[in-house]
Amino acid sequence: MVKDKVVVVTGAGRGIGRAIALLFAQYGAKVVVNDPGGSPDGQGGDQKVAEQVVEEIKKAGGQAVPSFDSVDSLSGATSIIDTAVANFGRVDVVVNNAGILRDRILFKMSEEEFDAVLKVHVKGAWSMTRAAAPYMREQKFGRIINFTSTTGLIGQVGQVNYGTAKAGIVGLTKNTALDMAKYNVTANVICPFAYTRLVGTIESDDPVVQARIDKFKKMTPEKIAPLVVYLASDQAQEVSGQIFAVRGNELVLFSQIRPIRNMQLDKGWTVEEIGEIFIPAVKNNFYPLEISNDVFPYDPLV
Ligand SMILES: NC(=O)c1ccc[n+]([C@@H]2O[C@H](COP(=O)([O-])OP(=O)(O)OC[C@H]3O[C@@H](n4cnc5c(N)ncnc54)[C@H](O)[C@@H]3O)[C@@H](O)[C@H]2O)c1
């Protein structure tokens, strides 16, 4: 389904990205394994992180090259795309998986913590897409696969920077899908659930919470990869601008924002009328502020 396609996976040295790179190679794609190999908050670097995945792919008979640039600038992203073109002659698929966390409650979060997270996730995904788009437009084929999070779609305490970034990636995906549609380039976004180092530090004294964590531990990065490879295939030409999730053995298609109630007054609304008429009429349709039971009211099969 993706044999000989040239695929760039960012953040492919670990976790979900690594599993995606391995599965693409197994299906005969030529893979650029991009990862500067930094810490979970994006500091430092280690070239061995990407090199090890390349070695693993080559040992299994696949084709891959490493790339150590950061996605967080257009020059870094251009150099990652150049690596694909220089080694394999083209670029067919970009998987924007790279990510970091700098969690902090809103009223204590620093400007640097906000900027750093937006830079890797939003600017990184835009830069990679911008650098690859001219090639994809020219060859009239391309696949962009981005990663969001429940923090961006629903919300989470202490992750204002990450939630803003992950919601931004949904907007990036939908607008990329529109700009590139006539060139056979699709763009989709996946909300993954996988036990990796980014989430692997969570433990709890509460047995109920710990049971949930134990279940989460069974949601491996390998479960995310098949949907990514499918979305990259020729078969998935009609799938674009969609928001998916993978939760263990469960695949999900998300709804997207639409007006759900509306009222019109022919003379327009006063402040008082909004309080007396509109809000009482729509408040049964308000979304709950609590996280997620409303969104995922059942446990996944794992
Ligand atoms: N694990 C989950 O359950 C979960 C949930 C929601 C969203 N996500 C998203 O999935 C993606 C993968 O996360 P993961 O859980 O595998 O984490 P991970 O930390 O295991 O892997 C992320 C990789 O991205 C790399 N990276 C960081 N900054 C980079 C940069 N500037 N340029 C290139 N690479 C960079 C890191 O070195 C790391 O190897 C992220 O976008 C994350 O936000 C994960």
Side-chain angles (χ1 to χ4, degrees):
M1 297 193 35
V2 291
K3 191 163 167 25
D4 292 330
K5 287 206 189 319
V6 178
V7 179
V8 178
V9 185
T10 70
R14 306 185 180 93
I16 296 170
R18 173 179 168 276
I20 293 167
L22 292 174
L23 193 66
F24 267 117
Q26 204 180 304
Y27 272 73
K30 299 166 186 171
V31 185
V32 175
V33 175
N34 164 258
D35 206 312
S39 61
D41 65 358
Q43 320 260 15
D46 179 358
Q47 297 202 345
K48 284 200 290 297
V49 172
E51 281 167 353
Q52 274 164 6
V53 176
V54 169
E55 281 316 304
E56 238 178 298
I57 289 173
K58 284 187 172 164
K59 258 190 209 145
Q63 296 184 66
V65 292
S67 139
F68 313 111
D69 292 292
S70 170
V71 297
D72 71 1
S73 68
L74 186 56
S75 60
T78 301
S79 152
I80 299 167
I81 296 299
D82 286 350
T83 303
V85 176
N87 285 277
F88 301 128
R90 54 190 279 138
V91 55
D92 296 298
V93 181
V94 172
V95 181
N96 287 312
N97 162 83
I100 62 167
L101 287 177
R102 301 264 175 106
D103 293 0
R104 186 93 57 204
I105 198 84
L106 173 67
F107 44 83
K108 292 188 176 163
M109 185 174 285
S110 69
E111 186 176 8
E112 206 272 329
E113 287 165 339
F114 184 81
D115 285 348
V117 169
L118 270 282
K119 206 171 174 211
V120 172
H121 289 273
V122 178
K123 190 170 179 202
W126 174 79
S127 298
M128 290 297 300
T129 306
R130 173 65 185 84
Y135 293 99
M136 294 180 169
R137 175 176 180 238
E138 182 73 29
Q139 72 205 12
K140 293 201 166 45
F141 179 88
R143 300 283 187 260
I144 307 289
I145 298 148
N146 294 330
F147 279 87
T148 186
S149 160
T150 48
T151 303
L153 298 172
I154 301 159
Q156 180 66 268
V157 174
Q159 292 195 312
V160 141
N161 48 1
Y162 183 68
T164 304
K166 288 309 207 184
I169 285 174
V170 175
L172 172 69
T173 308
K174 292 181 62 69
N175 287 281
T176 300
L178 287 169
D179 275 9
M180 300 302 287
K182 67 174 173 195
Y183 308 107
N184 290 327
V185 178
T186 67
N188 292 284
V189 60
I190 299 174
C191 174
F193 292 71
Y195 196 75
T196 64
R197 72 164 186 170
L198 269 198
V199 289
T201 48
I202 312 163
E203 296 288 337
S204 173
D205 296 335
D206 179 339
V208 176
V209 176
Q210 189 57 47
R212 256 188 243 140
I213 294 170
D214 290 342
K215 197 158 201 182
F216 192 37
K217 285 181 181 170
K218 293 186 193 153
M219 297 183 195
T220 60
E222 286 70 29
K223 302 273 184 188
I224 313 295
L227 178 62
V228 180
V229 173
Y230 173 78
L231 290 173
S233 71
D234 294 329
Q235 267 185 39
Q237 187 59 55
E238 305 303 316
V239 187
S240 196
Q242 304 305 313
I243 308 169
F244 297 98
V246 185
R247 215 172 48 138
N249 294 334
E250 179 188 45
L251 295 177
V252 177
L253 174 70
F254 270 97
S255 66
Q256 297 195 28
I257 295 195
R258 297 282 183 275
I260 52 168
R261 296 289 308 273
N262 67 318
M263 294 180 89
Q264 299 186 57
L265 284 187
D266 53 10
K267 58 175 179 38
W269 294 85
T270 65
V271 175
E272 289 75 14
E273 285 166 342
I274 291 172
E276 283 156 17
I277 304 169
F278 181 64
I279 295 299
V282 300
K283 74 174 181 208
N284 284 344
N285 296 96
F286 280 1
Y287 291 99
L289 198 53
E290 309 83 55
I291 293 157
S292 117
N293 267 357
D294 184 55
V295 182
F296 286 112
Y298 46 85
D299 275 345
L301 293 170
V302 284

